[in-house]
Amino acid sequence: GGIWMNIRPMEEKDIAQVRELVNHCRPLDLHTAFTYWILANYFNNTCLVMEDKCEIVGYTGGMKSSAKEGVFYLWQIGILPEYRGKGFFGLLLEKVMEAAKKSGCKILQFSVLPDNWQSLGAFSSFSKKKGIPMIKTGSIEFYDSLENEEFEEDIYEIPL
């Protein structure tokens, strides 16, 4: 065997389950149902769900940049806690990387909270396993007056 999961483009009917999954994957940010509706309807070639039987157990979403040539931004990736550490993260990441390549991208960028060791660990073990470099290219910091919060994320990239 090996591991097998059904990975397919996200559809409108998946929105509620995707939001529940994201909600289980803190510190991943939960966005509005409308945000996920936009992804399901306009970016579903690169917004994917992973199913075990009929339950969504993984989700990833990203899009090709219209501002940065050849760059794909991986916006979110999440796997339910009980499915972690079994190779499913890599499976889902690989699928979205294939889709990004198909759309003409050469670089995959993503951002991670500086203290999100679980996410960083998943990405770096994937890149080690695949023998591809993962480079920290910078960080973003901004103040959100609505939340009265300072935000900081580190930006990484891996070649496609």
Side-chain angles (χ1 to χ4, degrees):
I3 52 175
W4 188 86
M5 283 275 166
N6 184 36
I7 298 173
R8 60 168 176 80
M10 181 180 163
E11 295 169 30
E12 216 173 293
K13 67 176 172 65
D14 302 323
I15 294 169
Q17 269 196 74
V18 165
R19 290 186 79 239
E20 279 174 35
L21 178 135
V22 170
N23 201 39
H24 282 296
C25 294
R26 299 282 175 201
L28 211 54
D29 284 328
L30 180 63
H31 295 275
T32 66
F34 186 59
T35 303
Y36 294 100
W37 181 90
I38 291 169
L39 296 173
N41 282 284
Y42 293 88
F43 298 98
N44 74 351
N45 56 332
T46 55
C47 291
L48 313 172
V49 293
M50 181 167 72
E51 293 174 310
D52 187 4
K53 299 176 186 71
C54 288
E55 192 200 355
I56 292 174
V57 299
Y59 152 78
T60 188
M63 59 276 307
K64 179 181 182 168
S65 173
S66 63
K68 298 174 192 230
E69 188 65 37
V71 174
F72 180 86
Y73 184 77
L74 184 71
W75 183 50
Q76 291 191 310
I77 186 165
I79 307 270
L80 284 180
E82 59 270 30
Y83 286 84
R84 291 180 193 160
K86 297 178 168 83
F88 296 130
F89 177 88
L91 219 55
L92 196 52
L93 185 53
E94 226 161 48
K95 273 282 194 259
V96 79
M97 285 170 78
E98 277 168 31
K101 251 187 250 183
K102 264 187 211 144
S103 75
C105 294
K106 307 257 180 282
I107 290 167
L108 179 118
Q109 284 188 344
F110 58 94
S111 60
V112 181
L113 289 164
D115 59 356
N116 188 346
W117 303 113
Q118 203 171 16
S119 181
L120 272 175
F123 276 109
S124 57
S125 79
F126 174 85
S127 65
K128 276 193 194 91
K129 216 177 279 169
K130 296 281 168 198
I132 51 178
M134 175 173 126
I135 305 143
K136 182 179 166 184
T137 57
S139 52
I140 27 177
E141 281 179 55
F142 61 92
Y143 171 72
D144 178 49
S145 56
L146 207 57
E147 300 272 342
N148 188 23
E149 248 183 292
E150 200 55 65
F151 283 93
E152 188 188 348
E153 299 229 355
D154 292 326
I155 299 177
Y156 294 86
E157 65 179 43
I158 49 183
L160 290 168

